[in-house]
Amino acid sequence: MSESESEDEILDRIEAALRKIGSLSKPAGGDGLDRAALAEGLDHVITRLRAALDTVPPPETTE
């Protein structure tokens, strides 16, 4: 993710990633999905995103 990406582009990337994750929840074949491992991985990603957002200064308002 680069500094030049707009908020819409970032949201599009997040949406695409979530769609890809969602497609994993539909097992193809006899092997089931390890939902516990997936949930743990998602929790880890969410924790990292929250930590990154905490370091971002609030946007400047022009009033």
Side-chain angles (χ1 to χ4, degrees):
M1 191 163 31
S2 69
E3 292 276 332
S4 63
E5 281 185 304
S6 72
E7 185 174 332
D8 286 339
E9 290 170 324
I10 293 167
L11 292 174
D12 287 343
R13 286 168 39 95
I14 292 170
E15 182 180 358
L18 290 173
R19 287 184 189 277
K20 196 178 270 189
I21 291 167
S23 71
L24 294 175
S25 66
K26 301 173 188 121
D31 297 328
L33 176 71
D34 184 350
R35 292 184 185 276
L38 180 60
E40 184 179 330
L42 287 172
D43 287 343
H44 178 70
V45 169
I46 290 167
T47 300
R48 289 182 59 199
L49 286 169
R50 284 184 178 148
L53 288 173
D54 287 343
T55 64
V56 175
E60 294 180 19
T61 58
T62 55
E63 293 181 19

